[in-house]
Amino acid sequence: MREKLKALAELQKVDLEVASLRKAADVHPRQLADLERELGAARSAIEAERNRVADIEKQKSTLEQNIADEKDKVKKWEARLAEQRSTREYSALAREIDIAKKANQTMADELVELVKTLAAAREAVKGKEAEFASRQEQLSGRMTELKGKLSQAEGQVKALEGKRSSVAAAVDANLLRRYETVRKKKLPAMVGVVAGTCQGCNMNVPPQLYNNLRVSLGTDVCPSCHRIIYAVEALETPAAK
């Protein structure tokens, strides 16, 4: 019975190593996702600034076209001014020309401010692009490092899973089936009983059950946590006679 326990204990040791590696490696994908989100947010910020620049450029283009149209209109009206015979028509047209010129001046002033705003927006884009390039370079190294650690962990898990197959082959078939059933729900699946206390749930097992485990050096099931239990003496090396 001692050899059966030792074989199962060796299998569980491998399983615990695999679980530990997977748990440690689980953090890497989350960290990679966080870094990707950070870069994504930075890209979105740059895109937002570029869209703002595009909107301002459209406004500038529209305003320039409106100014040009108004200037053409004033020229035509000024050409017609000399043709007016009626003082009243002359005054009305002159008033329209004056209003158009004032409107044109207002738009010209708006254009000056818009050009300044556009220049500032373009500088903001350059600044964000420079910040992004710098941050991307920093994060790229970190992401490469995380991917390397993840790949290393996956390689270690794969190697242990290969070892597990050979170790599992040495375990008693009935004991292995019971172990696999428990392992799907909790790990460790097999724990020792020390001084009558299950080391999995820290609950006392019935005295008779504990005595049976010590005498038989076999296994049973904890009434509280339903793990496979054994007396720790079963795995101790017998004293030399």
Side-chain angles (χ1 to χ4, degrees):
M1 290 300 296
R2 178 177 279 114
E3 293 307 313
K4 289 183 179 181
L5 273 178
K6 284 184 177 181
L8 186 57
E10 183 63 23
L11 176 62
Q12 179 162 266
K13 180 181 176 182
V14 174
D15 285 336
L16 289 171
E17 285 185 58
V18 170
S20 177
L21 276 172
R22 282 179 172 158
K23 183 177 180 180
D26 276 348
V27 71
H28 302 325
R30 290 197 297 272
Q31 289 176 336
L32 282 168
D34 288 342
L35 296 180
E36 286 288 359
R37 277 193 293 272
E38 182 179 340
L39 287 177
R43 289 191 191 97
S44 296
I46 292 174
E47 193 60 31
E49 287 295 332
R50 287 172 177 164
N51 290 337
R52 181 168 174 263
V53 167
D55 288 340
I56 296 172
E57 286 175 338
K58 287 179 182 177
Q59 294 176 39
K60 177 175 173 288
S61 178
T62 299
L63 194 54
E64 288 172 337
Q65 186 60 51
N66 289 342
I67 290 173
D69 292 343
E70 285 298 312
K71 284 182 177 180
D72 287 341
K73 185 162 61 176
V74 167
K75 285 181 181 179
K76 290 177 182 178
W77 284 353
E78 285 177 337
R80 287 171 51 197
L81 194 60
E83 300 172 358
Q84 301 306 310
R85 304 298 181 190
S86 164
T87 301
R88 190 173 123 194
E89 290 177 352
Y90 182 92
S91 297
L93 187 55
R95 186 167 58 252
E96 290 295 330
I97 290 173
D98 185 55
I99 293 172
K101 284 183 176 179
K102 287 179 180 178
N104 230 14
Q105 184 57 52
T106 299
M107 288 191 291
D109 293 341
E110 289 177 3
L111 182 60
V112 170
E113 293 304 315
L114 200 58
V115 168
K116 291 179 182 178
T117 301
L118 179 59
R122 285 172 174 164
E123 285 301 313
V125 169
K126 289 180 181 178
K128 286 192 177 295
E129 287 175 340
E131 289 175 8
F132 176 77
S134 175
R135 188 59 179 151
Q136 185 179 40
E137 185 176 354
Q138 293 173 2
L139 296 185
S140 177
R142 176 62 178 152
M143 290 169 76
T144 299
E145 179 186 352
L146 287 173
K147 288 176 181 177
K149 288 182 177 180
L150 182 59
S151 178
Q152 181 181 18
E154 288 173 347
Q156 290 173 326
V157 167
K158 188 175 181 180
L160 282 173
E161 286 176 341
K163 177 181 178 182
R164 186 185 193 280
S165 298
S166 60
V167 172
V171 180
D172 177 77
N174 291 329
L175 193 54
L176 179 61
R177 277 195 296 273
R178 191 195 311 172
Y179 170 79
E180 293 292 11
T181 299
V182 179
R183 185 175 73 93
K184 291 176 181 177
K185 300 175 182 178
K186 60 192 73 177
L187 194 66
M190 183 180 77
V191 294
V193 177
V194 178
T197 301
C198 171
Q199 299 304 292
C201 61
N202 294 318
M203 298 293 289
N204 290 332
V205 301
Q208 185 60 47
L209 174 58
Y210 180 42
N211 287 333
N212 288 341
L213 291 173
R214 295 178 66 189
V215 172
S216 69
L217 300 182
T219 64
D220 212 307
V221 176
C222 174
S224 298
C225 66
H226 308 296
R227 288 182 171 91
I228 298 171
I229 54 175
Y230 64 95
V232 292
E233 298 90 331
L235 289 181
E236 294 176 353
T237 303
K241 295 182 179 179

